Amino acid sequence: MIESIKILPNSLYVKFKNKVDDNFPNIWLRDHAKDEENWDYRSNQRKTYTASLSSKLFIKEASVIDNGKYIKILWSDSKNIIKYSTEFLLNNSLKKNTKNQNLILWKKNEISKKIFLKYNNILSKDGFKRFLKNLYTFGFCVITDCKTEIETVKKIANKIGYVRQSIFGGLWEFESNEDMADSAYTQEELRPHTDSTYSNDAPGLQLLLCCDYKAKGGESIMVDGFKIAQVIKNNNKELFDLMSKIEVPGKYIGDGVILEAKRPIFKLDNNELIQVSFNNYDRTEFRIDEALTVKFYKAIKKFDDLVNSKEFQWRHILKPGELLIFNNWRILHGRGSFIGKRKMAGCYINMEDFRSRCKISGLY
Ligand SMILES: [Fe+2]
């Protein structure tokens, strides 16, 4: 709700009842006018010819109406009164609360049974919403009692968005089998990482279905990268700032392509963490000045120590019929070493499609 407003020379000062206040520049407010003349309600697109707006436009009249629900403004260049809702203004306030407020940042012990959901239970509208909420809140879920076939991966992916095509194809299967190699053949531990640091648009979700498991070890490892960021920020702000500024390049060479991209380990938007990227396997060469180089290697050590500590690692051996799904912009994944046979199927989903599904479902 809006408590009061004040017309200033080039902006409107708005004081909300929750003690937040903000100055909204006239040109910005005018550009976001939503009436029949300025907004196409069928296509949800702007009709305003923004470039033609005068920089000298001003507010002729403004008042708070409907007990603080709306502000109405009469602009110097328009005959119509334009209404702006509290919700719209608060959502666009530079001082608003962060978007991440509904996330639960976790350490290993804070993960409950909530993250396990039965396949049949996520098919209903309510069940699917519960699943999506847990996936959004914790960053990962395990769907149990799935059919051990690649089609299951596709079905779940299509309930959220669609299967992403990449250099590895859309849906994929892989098998590790000791019979195929030396009898002492061991798959080494894969340290926690995020996928596709070499892509400008890293996959948003990864799905991994266990189709067969006759092995020892091979636990799936999940680490909350947002929690790690919070710990580093609270303990060493300088290191956090460094990790949110130095752009680290990733590179993939193979299958007839050379893919390269770079971004900081902690990518921020308006000071808010939106993506964690860390893949020591795929990091390629880059130079920064000597002092920063030393600090960067300290940062890698700190980060790697944290993501490999028991306190932060949730480990679980996926059984046949269990599908692990996780947010690749937040959760680092790894796999313990194993001996034996393990057959998996999986795919990626784009972040924008996951976000879209969350928004449609009213999660944020
Ligand atoms: Fe990976």
Side-chain angles (χ1 to χ4, degrees):
M1 293 295 152
I2 295 155
E3 193 173 291
S4 61
I5 56 170
K6 194 174 176 189
I7 301 172
L8 301 174
N10 296 307
S11 62
L12 184 73
Y13 171 78
V14 180
K15 193 169 178 205
F16 299 93
K17 284 188 179 157
N18 64 1
K19 298 202 167 54
V20 172
D21 63 351
D22 204 347
N23 260 340
F24 293 89
N26 282 349
I27 188 78
W28 186 90
L29 280 172
R30 176 63 185 83
D31 185 41
H32 290 84
K34 284 186 180 175
D35 66 343
E36 301 247 312
E37 204 181 310
N38 290 284
W39 191 254
D40 186 333
Y41 282 92
R42 284 178 313 168
S43 66
N44 286 306
Q45 287 179 307
R46 177 180 288 103
K47 279 160 90 176
T48 313
Y49 179 7
T50 302
S52 75
L53 292 177
S54 163
S55 59
K56 292 187 183 111
L57 64 88
F58 60 92
I59 296 172
K60 273 183 158 175
E61 285 172 40
S63 56
V64 180
I65 56 168
D66 290 353
N67 295 320
K69 269 191 197 163
Y70 297 93
I71 290 172
K72 63 173 188 179
I73 296 180
L74 180 62
W75 291 104
S76 56
D77 65 348
S78 169
K79 285 180 205 127
N80 299 334
I81 283 170
I82 310 290
K83 274 168 84 177
Y84 300 85
S85 70
T86 301
E87 192 190 7
F88 171 78
L89 295 168
L90 262 182
N91 278 341
N92 287 287
S93 171
L94 294 176
K95 298 176 188 172
K96 71 168 176 176
N97 290 330
T98 63
K99 273 190 217 158
N100 289 341
Q101 59 187 326
N102 294 327
L103 304 182
I104 294 177
L105 309 190
W106 52 265
K107 290 181 183 176
K108 178 199 164 190
N109 290 340
E110 287 151 339
I111 288 299
S112 67
K113 290 235 163 10
K114 265 187 177 180
I115 57 108
F116 288 93
L117 300 125
K118 280 188 179 167
Y119 177 78
N120 279 339
N121 292 346
I122 68 157
L123 298 179
S124 70
K125 199 177 167 194
D126 282 353
F128 179 71
K129 202 169 168 181
R130 219 168 20 249
F131 152 65
L132 207 61
K133 186 165 187 227
N134 287 346
L135 176 59
Y136 173 74
T137 310
F138 294 100
F140 78 102
C141 278
V142 178
I143 303 172
T144 64
D145 304 273
C146 299
K147 280 188 184 164
T148 53
E149 55 194 31
I150 201 164
E151 198 60 20
T152 309
V153 177
K154 191 176 171 186
K155 273 186 192 157
I156 295 171
N158 286 344
K159 278 187 80 67
I160 299 170
Y162 58 92
V163 174
R164 167 174 167 145
Q165 290 293 324
S166 73
I167 189 66
F168 308 111
L171 295 160
W172 37 259
E173 284 177 296
F174 64 84
E175 188 175 337
S176 303
N177 193 340
E178 66 177 322
D179 301 335
M180 288 155 71
D182 188 309
S183 58
Y185 179 71
T186 304
Q187 292 278 345
E188 277 178 32
E189 174 152 321
L190 265 178
R191 292 170 80 82
H193 62 277
T194 59
D195 273 9
S196 306
T197 50
Y198 48 77
S199 165
N200 284 312
D201 177 29
L205 294 174
Q206 182 168 171
L207 286 73
L208 278 169
L209 170 67
C210 178
C211 296
D212 197 6
Y213 175 84
K214 290 186 186 77
K216 270 190 181 162
E219 311 100 303
S220 293
I221 303 167
M222 299 271 97
V223 178
D224 187 353
F226 278 26
K227 182 71 184 179
I228 302 293
Q230 187 188 58
V231 168
I232 293 178
K233 190 176 181 181
N234 290 343
N235 292 332
N236 191 339
K237 181 70 169 48
E238 192 199 344
L239 199 67
F240 178 84
D241 289 343
L242 183 97
M243 294 169 82
S244 62
K245 285 195 182 77
I246 295 177
E247 298 209 304
V248 184
K251 192 172 190 174
Y252 180 86
I253 307 175
D255 307 302
V257 298
I258 301 173
L259 301 173
E260 282 181 281
K262 59 179 178 179
R263 61 184 156 269
I265 295 172
F266 301 136
K267 186 174 172 186
L268 309 182
D269 178 20
N270 251 338
N271 284 325
E272 183 184 17
L273 180 64
I274 55 163
Q275 184 179 15
V276 172
S277 300
F278 184 82
N279 192 318
N280 208 52
Y281 303 105
D282 290 340
R283 180 165 46 79
T284 189
E285 67 274 13
F286 74 112
R287 290 292 307 272
I288 41 181
D289 79 37
E290 192 176 338
L292 270 182
T293 303
V294 172
K295 284 180 183 172
F296 174 70
Y297 281 93
K298 272 188 187 163
I300 285 193
K301 180 161 177 48
K302 181 73 192 165
F303 187 87
D304 196 74
D305 282 352
L306 286 172
V307 300
N308 284 287
S309 70
K310 284 187 178 157
E311 196 185 349
F312 294 103
Q313 284 195 350
W314 180 86
R315 285 181 174 241
H316 173 76
I317 294 179
L318 287 176
K319 292 174 265 306
E322 288 186 339
L323 181 142
L324 176 66
I325 178 167
F326 57 89
N327 178 344
N328 184 55
W329 285 34
R330 169 179 170 189
I331 304 291
L332 293 104
H333 63 283
R335 184 202 17 80
S337 61
F338 72 96
I339 303 174
K341 183 181 173 185
R342 202 167 164 263
K343 192 176 166 193
M344 310 293 289
C347 77
Y348 291 134
I349 297 176
N350 288 321
M351 180 50 90
E352 62 191 33
D353 298 315
F354 174 49
R355 283 186 177 154
S356 165
R357 183 60 59 207
C358 289
K359 281 178 192 168
I360 297 275
S361 303
L363 294 184
Y364 72 95

